[in-house]
Amino acid sequence: MRGSNAVLVALGLSAALAVTACGSGGTAAAPTASGTPATGAGAPATGGPAEAGSPGAQPPAPAPAGSTRVLSKEELRTALVGPGDIKGWTGMEMPMEIGKAQLSTRPADCQPIENVRTGKIKPESAAYAFTTVGPDGGGSPTALTQIMLASFDGGGAQQVLADLRTALTSCTRYEGSIPKPGTVAALPAPKLGEEALSYSLTSDGKTQELTVVRQGSVVAVFSPSSLSGGAPAKTPQEVLAGQVAKVRTTAG
């Protein structure tokens, strides 16, 4: 994945979080760490690929000791996947600031879904960081995934997943800040982190499958985009597992 232009393509529509970039290009990702995939909710990594679970979210699992430590912005930057973390993939950190303005959804029970799409998650995070992951090597990528890591005080991370889980039980279509009305459908959750959710969001004929994973006090949001059109955009399983594993390693 080369150059800022290839990365910035990922920021269109709901293919990525609606935020404002602080600069025209990304910076090198933080020092690399092991990207060993996780194998189950809250379980230590064993190197196997992630597996799809039953429809809906995984129930919250007891948090391992120390995993609820609130990560600082610098720690979140270190936790972002970068070059060498995941075989065949590379990340480019993107310095961004989340805007304050947020339009309300119609109906109101869809608001948590829109909050995740735009990065304006409630409750407000203590710190956050972004990266964009694409295929390693030359040429123009056909698919990119933007990842947001956000850390929360107290039970904020659990609340984010709880609110989103509730919204997915009733929200199937909404209007808001997306260019055109969007339709939503819950999907099987991956067996990653301490709890996870996955769902599709379709707007203006484009579909992406978003995944939200909680690991301790950190919430990871995966927003994939397809640059070639066609099938719904999905985050590769190895990218999902590698990012969650690096968060777990960083949190200790």
Side-chain angles (χ1 to χ4, degrees):
M1 184 173 62
R2 295 178 179 175
S4 60
N5 290 339
V7 175
L8 292 175
V9 176
L11 303 182
L13 183 60
S14 60
L17 306 173
V19 294
T20 302
C22 294
S24 61
T27 59
T32 61
S34 172
T36 306
T39 58
T46 59
E51 298 178 358
S54 58
Q58 294 173 238
S67 68
T68 55
R69 182 172 65 83
V70 180
L71 271 62
S72 67
K73 186 174 186 66
E74 287 305 310
E75 288 176 310
L76 289 178
R77 292 180 65 193
T78 298
L80 292 170
V81 293
D85 285 332
I86 305 172
K87 185 177 181 180
W89 301 90
T90 190
M92 180 179 288
E93 184 184 352
M94 301 198 70
M96 293 183 172
E97 294 295 333
I98 298 174
K100 297 296 183 183
Q102 174 69 296
L103 296 179
S104 299
T105 63
R106 300 179 298 278
D109 59 0
C110 297
Q111 192 67 52
I113 296 170
E114 177 66 358
N115 290 348
V116 167
R117 189 190 75 85
T118 60
K120 300 170 185 178
I121 301 174
K122 303 297 180 183
E124 189 172 341
S125 63
Y128 57 84
F130 291 91
T131 192
T132 297
V133 175
D136 195 5
S140 299
T142 58
L144 298 172
T145 297
Q146 190 177 64
I147 301 172
M148 175 185 183
L149 299 183
S151 60
F152 296 83
D153 294 314
Q158 290 91 330
Q159 188 63 52
V160 171
L161 271 290
D163 290 346
L164 185 57
R165 185 181 300 110
T166 298
L168 289 173
T169 63
S170 59
C171 178
T172 57
R173 183 181 186 278
Y174 75 92
E175 299 178 18
S177 65
I178 52 178
K180 293 185 178 181
T183 57
V184 183
L187 297 172
K191 294 181 178 179
L192 291 170
E194 293 173 47
E195 52 181 325
L197 288 163
S198 189
Y199 56 97
S200 66
L201 177 60
T202 301
S203 179
D204 198 21
K206 299 177 182 179
T207 300
Q208 61 176 155
E209 297 185 1
L210 293 94
T211 300
V212 182
V213 181
R214 180 180 69 82
Q215 179 65 43
S217 67
V218 176
V219 172
V221 179
F222 299 84
S223 301
S225 66
S226 174
L227 307 184
S228 59
K234 301 182 180 182
T235 301
Q237 291 293 329
E238 57 268 34
V239 173
L240 289 169
Q243 179 60 88
V244 174
K246 192 169 183 185
V247 169
R248 184 171 54 248
T249 299
T250 304

